[in-house]
Amino acid sequence: MPATMTPATDPTIEANVFWMRNRRNVITGVAILLIAAIAAGAYWFYRERRNTAAAEMLGGAKTAADYKRVIAQYSGTPAYATAQLLLAEQQRNDGKFAESNATLQRFISENPKHELVSTAWMAIGANLESMSKPDEALATYQRLVTSDPHSFNAPLAMLAQVRLLKEKKQIDEARKICETILTQYRDSFAAGEASRQLRLLKPPPSAPIVSQQAAPGPQVRPAASGLKQQPPAPPRATNVTPPPAAPQPTGPTGAPPPQKP
């Protein structure tokens, strides 16, 4: 005879008992999940609408005032960070180098992980050079290379250091940086320029040491091509004794033979 299930072990009864005891908590949890999903969807929709509006405003921006409006109305959007960089560029073009650096510093502090942070540092260095502050510009380029050595701007910052070091007559330091570029960034565009700069920075060869030798004798200067060279005159004889005359033949009587007519 099959064993009958007691109420304590019947799963249907246990589910009913659980629902009766916890239905308020279950309903509350489901409601919270639904509200969270609705809120997330609404936030995503709002963010996308806001990003789109910011991008449209940035697309129509042409002046520094336009970029400032994007920055004021759409903070936190991708267009906001881009507008900061464009504003800094516009300020630099207008000769406002200090204001441009202030904008770039704000961009870096608010977007430390942005992919264009190294570009902002390069722009700060260029502004410092335009402000006749080569030492501060050199320190800025060095900071970029130290903080982000794998950035695509790192070898460009090193080339900028080479230029400034050449102006400061620090040739050995400039040569070392060129060698570092050729070692660590051999596949970059900067490697070709570093190789060219290294050739220009090569020290001049030392002058050869000429040993002291006896002075050569006077050289005979060749005659002009249009003149005919004369043979040297024979030496003139002085105090030369003439040779004795040859003996004349005589006849039998000792008189000279008669001359034939």
Side-chain angles (χ1 to χ4, degrees):
M1 183 174 181
T4 58
M5 302 184 92
T6 61
T9 59
D10 191 346
T12 304
I13 296 176
E14 289 183 357
N16 290 333
V17 172
F18 176 82
W19 169 252
M20 294 298 294
R21 291 178 178 178
N22 301 286
R23 61 182 178 180
R24 180 172 297 178
N25 294 336
V26 172
I27 293 174
T28 301
V30 171
I32 292 174
L33 292 176
L34 289 175
I35 293 172
I38 293 173
Y43 174 75
W44 177 86
F45 180 76
Y46 166 77
R47 186 183 64 182
E48 290 301 314
R49 286 284 303 272
R50 191 164 183 265
N51 289 345
T52 301
E56 291 177 354
M57 179 178 285
L58 180 62
K62 301 297 182 182
T63 64
D66 295 337
Y67 299 133
K68 289 180 180 180
R69 279 194 292 271
V70 176
I71 293 171
Q73 297 180 24
Y74 296 101
S75 62
T77 64
Y80 170 80
T82 305
Q84 287 179 312
L85 293 176
L86 294 176
L87 174 61
E89 182 181 5
Q90 185 63 48
Q91 290 169 335
R92 171 177 170 77
N93 294 337
D94 295 339
K96 302 176 181 179
F97 304 113
E99 294 182 15
S100 177
N101 275 359
T103 302
L104 292 167
Q105 290 284 1
R106 179 181 175 184
F107 167 81
I108 294 172
S109 62
E110 293 180 352
N111 307 276
K113 302 298 182 181
H114 199 281
E115 60 183 0
L116 295 179
V117 166
S118 62
T119 302
W121 281 118
M122 286 292 295
I124 290 175
N127 286 337
L128 290 172
E129 289 190 61
S130 299
M131 297 167 66
S132 300
K133 297 181 178 180
D135 293 336
E136 295 182 24
L138 182 62
T140 299
Y141 296 135
Q142 291 172 345
R143 176 177 180 177
L144 190 161
V145 176
T146 302
S147 61
D148 196 1
H150 302 293
S151 167
F152 64 93
N153 278 312
L156 300 179
M158 297 179 75
L159 284 178
Q161 293 179 53
V162 171
R163 183 182 66 254
L164 292 175
L165 290 172
K166 287 174 60 179
E167 294 177 356
K168 295 167 67 69
K169 307 302 181 183
Q170 298 179 6
I171 304 302
D172 291 339
E173 289 77 1
R175 189 183 301 111
K176 291 178 182 178
I177 293 178
C178 289
E179 293 172 351
T180 302
I181 295 175
L182 294 176
T183 301
Q184 299 182 3
Y185 306 98
R186 64 174 64 94
D187 297 329
S188 67
F189 165 78
E193 179 62 18
S195 179
R196 189 182 72 87
Q197 290 292 336
L198 192 59
R199 290 193 299 270
L200 297 176
L201 294 171
K202 186 177 180 181
S206 56
I209 300 176
V210 180
S211 59
Q212 296 181 355
Q213 297 178 354
Q219 298 180 357
V220 179
R221 183 175 299 175
S225 58
L227 300 178
K228 183 177 180 181
Q229 296 185 3
Q230 300 293 334
R236 179 179 300 176
T238 58
N239 299 328
V240 178
T241 304
Q248 297 293 330
T250 60
T253 57
Q259 296 292 333
K260 291 183 181 182

